[in-house]
Amino acid sequence: MAEHAVNYVIIVGPQGAGKGTQAAAVAPRLGLEHVATGDLFRAILKSESELGDEVRHYYDQGALVPDDLTIRVLFAHIEQLQEEKRGTTGVLLDGFPRNAAQAKSLDDALAERGEAISAVVLVDVPRPELMKRLTGRLVCSNCGATYHREFNPPKSAETCDQCGGELFQRSDDTPEAVEKRLEIYYEQTEPILEHYREQGVLLEIDGNREIDSVTADILDSLKDRVSA
Ligand code: AP5
Ligand code: MG
């Protein structure tokens, strides 16, 4: 990672708002590494380890993985990136922080390094739309690309347009788990946005439009916030 300017950008929003979809589109254009805690956990689930069993217990129900484990997994990943990817300008965090304790751990970790959050992009979508988006989602088992049966369909219903990998439905995209995940968002995640609003780093984007229009708005809102 570039030593002179490390940008920490957060993308936040309710489940299904399009955080992963938008992060995949904007991160490469801004020279940021897309780091999604959900993706880190899905990789751990695939590994069929003891850690995978522990994560599955929370993940499949739509519950949060305990903070200490989440923070350990995330910071180990960021440190590994910092060693390997010296050409990037920073990190786009997707799915972290999700509660007050995680927000504090991030503030503390950045303060220790003399760094700060450059921007927090809130992609907001009304709640009734979110269930439709999540129960129709398809994800590539190989490259992680995200589709929707109706709103962003792949050319073939079973394979990824980008890499030909098999598409699957996420185990936490059942109506029961989605309800639980949304409850957690409105109870624990939404309240931490005030903290970022007070710091003047919160950028609010209307996510209830075409995917490309949302991408254009995010790039525009970040143009003076992310240094190359
Ligand atoms: P995670 O993977 O982060 O899931 P999430 O927060 O539930 O968010 P989603 O990935 O479901 O939504 P998204 O906003 O990325 O939407 P997407 O772009 O895919 O977390 C999963 C689990 O991991 C958690 O429940 C927890 O167990 C654990 N975890 C993760 N982070 C944690 C943490 N920090 N602490 C503790 N536990 C943690 O889009 C959704 C669908 O909509 C797609 O089909 C897409 O094609 C479609 N779509 C996107 N944009 C549009 C648009 N503009 N119009 C129409 N359709 C659209
Ligand atoms: Mg996601």
Side-chain angles (χ1 to χ4, degrees), residues 1-223:
M1 224 154 276
E3 275 163 34
H4 59 286
V6 178
N7 299 289
Y8 286 87
V9 178
I10 296 170
I11 186 161
V12 65
Q15 285 67 17
K19 302 180 293 294
T21 302
Q22 295 301 334
V26 304
R29 291 158 83 170
L30 296 170
L32 302 174
E33 280 295 322
H34 176 199
V35 175
T37 39
D39 290 345
L40 297 178
F41 288 136
R42 281 183 284 281
I44 290 172
L45 289 178
K46 262 193 187 171
S47 71
E48 292 186 16
S49 57
E50 228 170 82
L51 183 59
D53 291 340
E54 188 183 348
V55 169
R56 184 170 291 106
H57 173 73
Y58 301 98
Y59 183 98
D60 281 356
Q61 296 174 40
L64 290 186
V65 176
D67 289 339
D68 57 341
L69 176 54
T70 302
I71 289 163
R72 220 171 344 115
V73 166
L74 174 67
F75 287 112
H77 182 75
I78 291 180
E79 262 162 41
Q80 195 187 335
L81 275 181
Q82 282 174 328
E83 279 172 23
E84 289 171 5
K85 307 242 177 171
R86 297 198 175 270
T88 58
T89 61
V91 175
L92 178 55
L93 279 176
D94 162 4
F96 187 95
R98 278 187 205 238
N99 58 28
Q102 293 183 7
K104 180 162 185 337
S105 77
L106 182 61
D107 283 351
D108 292 348
L110 294 184
E112 227 172 74
R113 299 163 186 222
E115 288 162 349
I117 293 164
S118 317
V120 177
V121 178
L122 166 62
V123 181
D124 217 354
V125 171
R127 191 166 175 162
E129 191 61 27
L130 300 168
M131 181 65 82
K132 279 190 268 174
R133 286 195 184 183
L134 291 172
T135 49
R137 171 164 57 188
L138 294 169
V139 181
C140 175
S141 56
N142 180 45
C143 73
T146 300
Y147 301 89
H148 190 281
R149 287 197 173 90
E150 191 184 338
F151 307 139
N152 183 21
K155 292 191 185 93
S156 137
E158 280 158 27
T159 51
C160 177
D161 294 353
Q162 291 176 33
C163 75
E166 196 182 335
L167 301 180
F168 73 102
Q169 182 161 30
R170 270 173 48 174
S171 56
D172 61 339
D173 278 347
T174 59
E176 300 74 30
V178 168
E179 278 302 336
K180 176 154 190 174
R181 286 155 60 202
L182 288 170
E183 283 310 320
I184 293 173
Y185 176 80
Y186 293 111
E187 277 172 18
Q188 298 187 35
T189 310
E190 201 178 45
I192 66 174
L193 298 179
E194 201 44 43
H195 172 64
Y196 297 120
R197 193 173 279 122
E198 280 166 10
Q199 288 178 18
V201 291
L202 188 70
L203 308 169
E204 300 187 48
I205 304 289
D206 175 6
N208 197 21
R209 292 167 305 137
E210 292 291 315
I211 292 174
D212 291 350
S213 313
V214 180
T215 306
D217 259 18
I218 295 176
L219 287 171
D220 191 48
S221 73
L222 285 174
K223 68 178 186 302

